[in-house]
Amino acid sequence: MPKLSAYLIVKNEERDLPACLDSLKGLADELVVVDDESTDRTATICRAGGAKLFSRKLDGYGSQKQYALEQCTGDWVFSIDADERVTPELAKEISNIVSQQKDPVGYFITRRMYFLGKRLRFGGVGHDRILRLFRRDKGRYRPLEIHEQVEVQGPTGQLRGALDHFSYATLDEYLEKIPVYTSMAARQRWQAGKRFHVFHHFRPAWELFSRVVLKGAWLDGQAGLIYAALSAHAAWLRSVKLWEMEHAGPK
């Protein structure tokens, strides 16, 4: 029978990993985890779950995912993050595809987003499509530092099942991670030739208006409004960090 390899890249994910691994039970024939020098119980949880565990210092999400992909041996591969869960409907759909071995060679999956414990359906989030299931020999990651993307050689399709994405459980968690993510995004934009413009100072106002009014973030209640405001601030941070690089040189 064809094999399916599921793979993750992780760092200090002891809170989210158990539920993620539970959602993969009965689906993946092989579980590959690449750990970025975790200091909590991440490695122990992975070994207990039967994973093939590899240690590698993160030097960009694209290269880290590519390394994880290269450790897989299945005919098909499935990428998942520690804060995501495979729904029963999606698991059944993936199993059918792997067993049939038919085209397409890759599949996009809809991801449902949860923020502060509430599902977000509006504001431009909650309906993103991501390519996560594909034939191992047909896919390769672009060498991007953040917002990694896998490219496949061949036709792609769309699955009906969804991934549940539990992004941030607390505001402190968001505020802890956003400085790192915005710095990585700014460096990537700098390398692509993007530069700061004074009009970027108006970006938060437009971002907030777009998410709340045009895309209906208010329909998600307080969680939707909070996420919209935080996203607007993050967009501004990415821009002003370009200004910092322009004056001090990229780090």
Side-chain angles (χ1 to χ4, degrees):
M1 290 292 290
K3 291 178 58 179
L4 172 69
S5 299
Y7 61 97
L8 302 85
I9 62 172
V10 298
K11 184 178 180 66
N12 294 335
E13 298 284 3
E14 66 176 7
R15 184 193 68 194
D16 289 325
L17 259 177
C20 176
L21 299 185
D22 282 345
S23 75
L24 291 169
K25 288 181 178 178
L27 174 63
D29 302 295
E30 177 183 62
L31 179 60
V32 171
V33 180
V34 178
D35 179 31
D36 176 21
E37 302 178 355
S38 292
T39 56
D40 62 1
R41 296 180 58 252
T42 291
T44 301
I45 294 170
C46 290
R47 293 191 185 96
K52 294 181 179 179
L53 185 63
F54 302 85
S55 180
R56 184 180 188 270
K57 182 66 178 175
L58 181 75
D59 59 357
Y61 284 94
S63 59
Q64 194 81 334
K65 282 284 184 78
Q66 180 61 34
Y67 177 83
L69 173 59
E70 291 169 357
Q71 313 314 309
C72 298
T73 63
D75 299 320
W76 288 82
V77 290
F78 175 63
S79 172
I80 187 171
D81 294 335
D83 60 358
E84 295 172 342
R85 314 285 180 263
V86 179
T87 60
E89 297 79 11
L90 178 60
K92 183 177 180 180
E93 197 172 3
I94 291 175
S95 294
N96 289 338
I97 289 170
V98 172
S99 63
Q100 292 172 4
Q101 286 287 293
K102 295 181 179 179
D103 285 339
V105 301
Y107 290 89
F108 286 86
I109 300 172
T110 299
R111 188 167 57 169
R112 302 187 298 208
M113 181 176 178
Y114 293 79
F115 177 70
L116 303 182
K118 177 178 175 57
R119 183 179 172 189
L120 301 186
R121 293 178 171 84
F122 303 96
V125 298
H127 302 92
D128 54 327
R129 297 168 62 251
I130 46 180
L131 202 159
R132 291 294 188 86
L133 175 69
F134 55 96
R135 290 182 185 268
R136 179 171 56 88
D137 61 348
K138 298 296 185 181
R140 185 170 185 84
Y141 282 90
R142 295 179 60 194
L144 299 175
E145 185 174 6
I146 194 171
H147 305 311
E148 69 280 3
Q149 300 173 17
V150 64
E151 297 177 335
V152 298
Q153 298 176 336
T156 60
Q158 171 74 39
L159 298 186
R160 294 184 298 274
L163 270 176
D164 284 335
H165 179 208
F166 297 90
S167 58
Y168 299 100
T170 66
L171 286 174
D172 283 343
E173 182 183 352
Y174 179 95
L175 295 172
E176 177 184 350
K177 293 182 178 181
I178 203 62
V180 176
Y181 291 162
T182 52
S183 292
M184 295 175 75
R187 281 195 300 268
Q188 191 160 287
R189 289 170 63 83
W190 175 277
Q191 292 164 4
K194 306 292 185 181
R195 295 297 182 265
F196 175 79
H197 193 282
V198 66
F199 289 126
H200 287 159
H201 284 306
F202 298 98
R203 177 69 185 274
W206 165 250
E207 187 82 14
L208 189 62
F209 174 80
S210 174
R211 287 180 179 272
V212 174
V213 179
L214 301 183
K215 299 177 181 178
W218 62 273
L219 293 168
D220 283 325
Q222 291 296 335
L225 292 171
I226 292 169
Y227 188 80
L230 291 173
S231 297
H233 178 66
W236 178 76
L237 278 179
R238 289 192 298 269
S239 296
V240 295
K241 286 183 178 182
L242 284 177
W243 176 87
E244 184 178 46
M245 291 177 181
E246 190 172 345
H247 288 78
K251 297 181 179 179

